Amino acid sequence: MDVAAPYSSRTVEEVFRDFKARRAGLLKALTTDVNLFFQQCDPEKENLCLYGFPSEQWKVNLPAEEVPPELPEPALGINFARDGMQEKDWLALVAVHSDAWLLAVAFYFGARFQFDKNDRKRLFNMINELPTIFEIVTGSAKKVKEKSTNSNHGNNKPKSNSKRGSESQGKYAKVMQAREDYEDGTDDEDNDDEHGETLCGACGENYASDEFWICCDVCEKWFHGKCVKITPARAEHIKQYKCPSCSNKRARP
């Protein structure tokens, strides 16, 4: 199986790019492609692993046959627990093992390319700036950010959140405000302060004022429009938006 990055990578930045690309692929499996991922993890099959690739794609497959493998292997047999747990708990378990695998691969490259102490520390610091896959899948990244923001405000009255809107205004108001900001190229300082640490539920990247975002009415996660294939024009006609993960949830036998 071709899961290894080309060994032309030699710098901390190149290894970090490899990490981000593999992470993006794993996030797709556990968020936007979750229904397909669930189907492929058939407990009746052999031991399966979830792989993330430098092409930002993912695949459920058998582990490498060679011993030792070219790269560290992901958690083995993730499919066996699929029907024995609540789906959200199973996804969280796969997510945390995926985080561990990503770190193992990154530090494998660090050792292979003879990174010194400072390079290894720099690589870890770059990785640590991103939320973990577990945090994104479980929604805990958003909770941590909100708790941090509330603590910083202290006893001050919370600022109004124009992009999210109030619950009474409904989804339409949220989408229209997001669309107006996107089309007008608004770069309001207050909005940047309030949303700069908001994370996309699909790719895990931060909010940017020049990108269109949409919020799921079910899980209340925010997504880049491009990540969930929703344009501003299309969003205007959506009364209640459900992200791919919430749309694909069905009652499991």
Side-chain angles (χ1 to χ4, degrees), residues 10 12 114-124:
R10 288 294 183 270
V12 171
Q114 300 181 14
F115 289 175
D116 60 19
K117 178 180 178 180
N118 291 332
D119 283 341
R120 292 194 302 271
K121 183 177 181 181
R122 187 156 63 93
L123 174 61
F124 177 78

Side-chain angles (χ1 to χ4, degrees), residues 38-57:
F38 188 95
Q39 292 173 356
Q40 291 190 10
C41 290
D42 186 348
E44 298 300 320
K45 295 182 179 179
E46 298 180 63
N47 290 294
L48 295 176
C49 301
L50 173 61
Y51 293 90
F53 296 93
S55 59
E56 300 189 6
Q57 300 302 313

Side-chain angles (χ1 to χ4, degrees), residues 20-203:
K20 286 185 66 178
R22 293 178 190 273
R23 173 178 173 274
L26 295 173
L27 279 170
K28 285 181 183 177
L30 297 170
T31 56
T32 57
D33 297 344
V34 68
N35 199 45
L36 178 60
F37 171 63
F38 188 95
Q39 292 173 356
Q40 291 190 10
C41 290
D42 186 348
E44 298 300 320
K45 295 182 179 179
E46 298 180 63
N47 290 294
L48 295 176
C49 301
L50 173 61
Y51 293 90
F53 296 93
S55 59
E56 300 189 6
Q57 300 302 313
W58 62 273
K59 189 172 185 179
V60 172
N61 211 337
L62 296 171
E65 294 182 359
E66 66 269 19
V67 178
E70 187 173 9
L71 287 179
E73 285 289 301
L76 182 66
I78 57 171
N79 51 314
F80 295 146
R82 191 196 72 177
D83 295 341
M85 305 172 64
Q86 291 288 331
E87 181 179 342
K88 65 177 182 179
D89 294 333
W90 176 69
L91 290 173
L93 181 64
V94 176
V96 75
H97 279 292
S98 296
D99 283 318
W101 178 66
L102 285 175
L103 281 174
V105 172
F107 277 79
Y108 168 86
F109 284 137
R112 188 181 183 96
F113 302 145
Q114 300 181 14
F115 289 175
D116 60 19
K117 178 180 178 180
N118 291 332
D119 283 341
R120 292 194 302 271
K121 183 177 181 181
R122 187 156 63 93
L123 174 61
F124 177 78
N125 287 339
M126 294 168 72
I127 290 172
N128 206 35
E129 287 298 312
L130 298 173
T132 64
I133 295 176
F134 177 82
E135 288 172 334
I136 293 173
V137 169
T138 61
S140 58
K142 178 181 176 182
K143 294 176 183 176
V144 169
K145 294 294 184 182
E146 288 177 347
K147 183 177 180 181
S148 175
T149 301
N150 291 336
S151 298
N152 290 336
H153 285 317
N155 294 325
N156 293 337
K157 184 178 179 180
K159 295 181 181 180
S160 62
N161 194 327
S162 61
K163 190 172 292 294
R164 290 179 183 253
S166 66
E167 291 184 4
S168 61
Q169 288 177 311
K171 185 67 199 163
Y172 181 78
K174 294 185 202 173
V175 171
M176 286 306 295
Q177 181 62 53
R179 179 181 179 179
E180 289 170 5
D181 290 349
Y182 172 75
E183 292 181 344
D184 293 343
T186 304
D187 190 18
D188 184 81
E189 184 174 348
D190 288 338
N191 280 343
D192 285 346
D193 290 341
E194 292 170 4
H195 303 285
E197 294 184 339
T198 301
L199 304 173
C200 175
C203 70

